[in-house]
Amino acid sequence: MAEAGQSGVGAMIDLSKCDGCKNLAVPKCVSVCREKNAANFPQPKEPIPLNFPLGTNEDWSKKKQLTNRLTPYNWTYVQNVKVTEKGKTAEVSIPRRCMHCDNPPCANLCPFGMQTKSQEGPVVIDKDGCLGGAKCRSVCPWQIPQRQAGVGVYMKLAPKYLGGGVMFKCDLCLDRIRKGEVPACVEACPQKAIHFGSKEAMRQLAHQRAQEISGYIYGEKENGGTSTFYVSPVSFKSIHKALMDHEVDGKNGRMGMKPLAENVLDSPEGMAKQMLFAPIAGIFAAGMVAYKTMKGAE
Amino acid sequence: MANPKKTVKRHCWSNLFTHWSVAISTIVLFISGFGQMPMYARYGFTKIPGFSWSGNYKITLNLHYAAAIVLIFAVTYHLAVSLMRKEFSLLPRRGDLRESWQIIKAMLGFGKEPESDKYLAEQRIAYLYIAVNVMILLITGIIKVLKNTDFYQPGASFIFWVSNIHNAATFALLFGVFGHLVAFVFKDNRKLLPGIFTGHICCEYAKHRHSKWYCTLDVPETTDQLPAVQGEILTVGD
């Protein structure tokens, strides 16, 4: 039974236990995620329009079988990478999906308010209203949300000229959480490498496990804090470097794990505070001008 | 015969400051806001040499916040100074809609234009329209800024309405600014243009078109050296 607690739910992913289900064609967390969410996958109708004026679109409907990256049809995947640290090489398997950040830039910066952080903690996309601008992907440090063209409300407006589809990503099985169940990937993991519970409990578990294995934690401070805590016996600096050098479909570094990844909302936060002082400054300046007017200076 | 070089002061520096700080910050807010929509990458503007920055959300977000600070300062300054100096000549009055229609008809060559005060009836209506939209944008914008912090996470439905009211008011304001600029297509309005750059407009024009206001100014008929009257300093143009 999942308990959200005051800070919502969270997960701890123990990379010392995850073996990437090497004995299976598709890791178990990936296959159950696909089964569980199949009804939510996009079903575009042909022909899928090309966006004016660039003449491009993002269509994954003919690559539904891909499981080695995130797509609108694959909301979690496992990265297998060889990491060299202190002269030793270790093979690390990393389940990747939305981290469900504490202050998610994807949700906060959606111009149409179609992405929100739920009370329980998972960040969810309203696929009925999303226009597929993909800004959420650009502001995510891990480029998690994936776009499918040819579906969504933009098809009812001006498909060639406005929008580009709908964004899709993991919602941490929010429907299951609301029923008191755990996410499908947690339940299916044969190594019990993915733990689920209240975020604070998962944070404590991550620290406890990191202490046990003299390991490292990722997700606690990244992007301003997330609801997903990875624990690894090798440092994430080394993992990030290995991921950046690692080829996926002939391309380098699809999705890294940069330590202390910055939240795009951090830089304007100072200006947000200045915004509070702007009205005070305006009234003060007006008072000075009005005083001078009364004195006949103007 | 009237001296065509003679000018009358229509705007003090405080009004010019308010107008231009609101105008420039609003233009920057439009540019950065459309970047946040997101539009520039979608329509290929980022591929234009020198415009690749427009697709960088961090840059456009910081620009949006910076311009919002200027706008908030300018709006509160304007409201406070207007209240303190009791300057309400831009507020709409009873009958302004009818009078605006008469002015538009007269500009198109139908009928006689009614006598106007310091501002035309249509300018007072435009001011209200723009002011209401700016206030909606400021209120919804401040809520959006608060939402972007760690401290405040409102519900999904509230975020939806705030975001889309902000978007709708943006387009309404854009329409208003467009209308404000299109007004200068009409030759009759063009003599008002120098006023918003220098503060002064042609005395003869003011006498002809803003006769109600002109009557309140003690303008000597025979000399170019004009005294200051009721806070409106009359000067001679170049």
Side-chain angles (χ1 to χ4, degrees), chain A residues 203-269:
Chain A
R203 190 199 303 274
Q204 283 175 24
L205 189 62
H207 279 276
Q208 188 188 321
R209 182 64 183 152
Q211 208 168 17
E212 281 169 14
I213 62 170
S214 299
Y216 303 84
I217 297 174
Y218 189 82
E220 189 178 20
K221 292 175 182 162
E222 283 68 26
N223 206 26
T226 80
S227 304
T228 304
F229 306 98
Y230 288 94
V231 179
S232 162
V234 289
S235 76
F236 286 96
K237 191 179 170 190
S238 299
I239 290 178
H240 178 64
K241 185 180 179 305
L243 287 171
M244 289 293 98
D245 295 339
H246 182 59
E247 272 194 4
V248 182
D249 293 345
K251 289 178 185 170
N252 279 347
R254 174 149 291 147
M255 195 170 158
M257 293 188 98
K258 188 181 175 189
L260 298 176
E262 189 200 19
N263 189 318
V264 73
L265 291 168
D266 286 347
S267 63
E269 199 154 303

Side-chain angles (χ1 to χ4, degrees), chain B residues 18-202:
Chain B
T18 303
H19 176 268
W20 287 110
S21 52
V22 168
I24 292 167
S25 60
T26 302
I27 290 167
V28 175
L29 283 160
F30 277 138
I31 292 169
S32 54
F34 283 123
Q36 289 287 312
M37 281 303 274
M39 285 172 69
Y40 299 133
R42 167 68 176 78
Y43 295 107
F45 286 104
T46 50
K47 293 184 188 297
I48 299 170
F51 283 89
S52 60
W53 63 269
S54 65
N56 184 322
Y57 296 113
K58 196 171 163 181
I59 293 174
T60 51
L61 186 66
N62 279 287
L63 263 178
H64 208 66
Y65 273 45
I69 292 171
V70 176
L71 183 64
I72 292 170
F73 174 81
V75 167
T76 47
Y77 169 81
H78 171 62
L79 289 174
V81 90
S82 301
L83 281 169
M84 289 175 194
R85 300 204 300 197
K86 298 185 176 62
E87 289 177 352
F88 306 117
S89 52
L90 259 170
L91 289 178
R93 301 167 192 173
R94 189 184 292 272
D96 272 359
L97 275 175
R98 182 175 36 82
E99 202 172 308
S100 293
W101 177 234
Q102 285 175 331
I103 294 169
I104 291 166
K105 275 201 302 184
M107 283 193 293
L108 295 170
F110 302 99
K112 189 173 176 266
E113 186 170 297
E115 291 186 336
S116 288
D117 211 327
K118 183 175 179 182
Y119 297 100
L120 302 171
E122 58 190 21
Q123 287 178 315
R124 291 192 292 267
I125 290 170
Y127 171 79
L128 180 70
Y129 177 85
I130 287 174
V132 166
N133 277 299
V134 166
M135 290 312 290
I136 291 171
L137 283 162
L138 283 184
I139 292 164
T140 51
I142 288 166
I143 295 170
K144 278 162 75 85
V145 166
L146 291 173
K147 169 182 71 72
N148 288 350
T149 65
D150 262 339
F151 315 107
Y152 178 54
Q153 286 180 349
S157 152
F158 185 68
I159 290 173
F160 169 81
W161 283 109
V162 166
S163 300
N164 289 294
I165 289 170
H166 194 78
N167 296 342
T170 298
F171 284 98
L173 182 62
L174 193 62
F175 173 75
V177 171
F178 180 72
H180 177 54
L181 297 176
V182 160
F184 295 105
V185 167
F186 296 98
K187 203 177 171 184
D188 293 356
N189 292 335
R190 285 184 208 155
K191 285 194 174 172
L192 279 171
L193 264 178
I196 209 59
F197 291 102
T198 66
H200 295 76
I201 57 169
C202 170

Side-chain angles (χ1 to χ4, degrees), chain A residues 49-93:
Chain A
L50 295 173
N51 298 339
F52 172 85
L54 298 178
T56 56
N57 66 20
E58 286 181 25
D59 177 22
W60 293 95
S61 61
K62 294 165 194 77
K63 298 174 187 168
K64 288 178 189 171
Q65 76 285 358
L66 283 182
T67 54
N68 66 345
R69 57 158 295 149
L70 294 178
T71 78
Y73 301 90
N74 200 61
W75 299 357
T76 184
Y77 80 112
V78 178
Q79 290 177 315
N80 294 301
V81 67
K82 281 183 181 160
V83 184
T84 304
E85 190 170 68
K86 294 171 189 165
K88 289 181 185 172
T89 299
E91 196 160 334
V92 183
S93 297

Side-chain angles (χ1 to χ4, degrees), chain A residues 184-204:
Chain A
C185 57
V186 176
E187 194 172 77
C189 178
Q191 300 298 325
K192 303 290 173 212
I194 312 175
H195 301 261
F196 179 80
S198 78
K199 189 183 147 191
E200 281 318 304
M202 292 301 103
R203 190 199 303 274
Q204 283 175 24

